[in-house]
Amino acid sequence: MNTGLKHWKEAATLILVAGNRLGAESFSVCSQPVKNEGRPHFPQRFDYSVLLLKRSSKSGFMPNAYVFPGGMVDSSDFSSEWLDVFKAFTNSPNFGLRSVTQPPETRPPIFATDRLKLGSPIPGEVAFRICALRETFEESGVLLFVSKKDELSLLRSLNDGRAADEVKHYRVNEQCGGELSRWRTLVNQNPSNFVRMCRELDLVPNIWALHEWSNWLTPTGRYGAKRFDTVFFMCCLEGRPNAYQDQKEIQHLEWSTPSDILQKFQARDLWLAPPQYYELSRMCRSTSLSDLHAFARRRGTNGCEQWLPIIFLQDDSYVSVLPGDQQYPLNSSETTNVETNMAPREGSELALHRFLISDPYRPRLQVNITPKYNHMLPLIGPLDSTTPA
């Protein structure tokens, strides 16, 4: 972990998606909206759901918000003890993870940072996946793993480039009523127990099931003193695993389609932070689980862009601009503060990549840029990728 960061703590999040078949017990590796009074009409026929967790009202960061599973990285996620757990994969670059084609100089710092110089032999691409899987296990009881007896066949398929070509099953939750439940309590008490659990139960965290999706930084002055540099991963499962809230950090959990979640948000039944709203709006472009999985797996090797929202006040509304927007600062940095009275730069067509927030339950997305790294745009209705504001 990077203890030298001044403003952010590193974190990892898992967008966990599953087909609408309930109670899967064992796994192995694997449109445009209609305008509606100025609001998007989200598509309804999804064949998958996404796991959302409601944060505790006592949380020091975004209390009561609905979020994807995830949390802050722990030093144990970078522990050299993982070398023994991943022994079969350590001779492969990045433990068998597929190579990212994004030029190294444009990689977000969360991935580009040399972890060996920070004293860890575990690459960032591996450690942040471990973090996302550990936090998902802590918060929801869902654990994705490969058993030791299956790791050699997985290694062969990784070397052949055949792993995760389809939405398949992964081992998960088989012991949640007994031994795994006991370990979950121990991991919640101390994250370093996660590597101990994997060693004692002969499990390997299934880092290969996770596909790089996005990288969000908490903006200045919006959610208290805590700020996070968070990598988002996507994982698609054929069937929905059983999930159990932890009764500590999480008050409630549910599996819902992206459109259901967004409609509940607009009805004020739940609250979403902008990154969750944006990512769910992106997912609305793919109502098919197999299509979403194919896209996430293909796109994941392209890399991603670091997004630090810059917020300013305009006509009694907050405007949150993202990279690519006409008003996004040319040289944003860790010390960038909330700006006011920003004027558009001249000399080019107005590029929009922003939230307009006059009501925290009804943000408006305005996007007409071409997304980098072959990503998809959010589905937004009144303004699409070709219509200026």
Side-chain angles (χ1 to χ4, degrees), residues 190-262:
N190 188 336
S192 66
N193 283 324
F194 191 53
V195 64
R196 179 182 159 209
M197 177 194 77
C198 291
R199 293 178 71 172
E200 294 196 15
L201 298 182
D202 282 336
L203 308 177
V204 182
N206 198 335
I207 59 174
W208 308 276
L210 276 58
H211 307 297
E212 186 177 318
W213 187 258
S214 59
N215 177 208
W216 291 80
L217 274 70
T218 309
T220 304
R222 289 294 290 171
Y223 304 106
K226 291 186 177 181
R227 298 167 67 187
F228 296 95
D229 181 355
T230 306
V231 56
F232 285 63
F233 296 103
M234 172 78 72
C235 175
C236 296
L237 305 176
E238 192 173 64
R240 190 188 307 175
N242 294 315
Y244 310 89
Q245 64 201 58
D246 66 1
Q247 305 295 338
K248 181 183 175 184
E249 296 182 34
I250 304 304
Q251 289 186 336
H252 176 70
L253 60 79
E254 65 175 90
W255 292 94
S256 296
T257 66
S259 62
D260 282 346
I261 296 165
L262 292 171

Side-chain angles (χ1 to χ4, degrees), residues 8 28 38 49 131-132 135 142 154-155 186 204 208 214 228 233-234 237 256 258 312:
W8 287 277
S28 64
S49 299
C131 175
E135 287 283 346
V142 175
L154 171 61
L155 182 60
L186 292 174
V204 182
W208 308 276
S214 59
F228 296 95
F233 296 103
M234 172 78 72
L237 305 176
S256 296
F312 62 95

Side-chain angles (χ1 to χ4, degrees), residues 85-105:
V85 174
F86 287 96
K87 188 183 333 183
F89 303 91
T90 53
N91 289 329
S92 301
N94 280 347
F95 295 24
L97 293 172
R98 293 177 303 148
S99 298
V100 174
T101 59
Q102 183 179 6
E105 62 274 15

Side-chain angles (χ1 to χ4, degrees), residues 1 74-79 82 130 134 190-195:
M1 61 190 300
D74 185 79
S75 59
S76 64
D77 300 325
F78 283 93
S79 170
W82 287 111
I130 291 172
R134 173 180 56 76
N190 188 336
S192 66
N193 283 324
F194 191 53
V195 64

Side-chain angles (χ1 to χ4, degrees), residues 8 306-310 323 328-337:
W8 287 277
Q306 184 189 69
W307 286 0
L308 170 60
I310 303 298
Y328 197 80
L330 291 174
N331 295 302
S332 63
S333 69
E334 289 189 356
T335 57
T336 301
N337 293 316

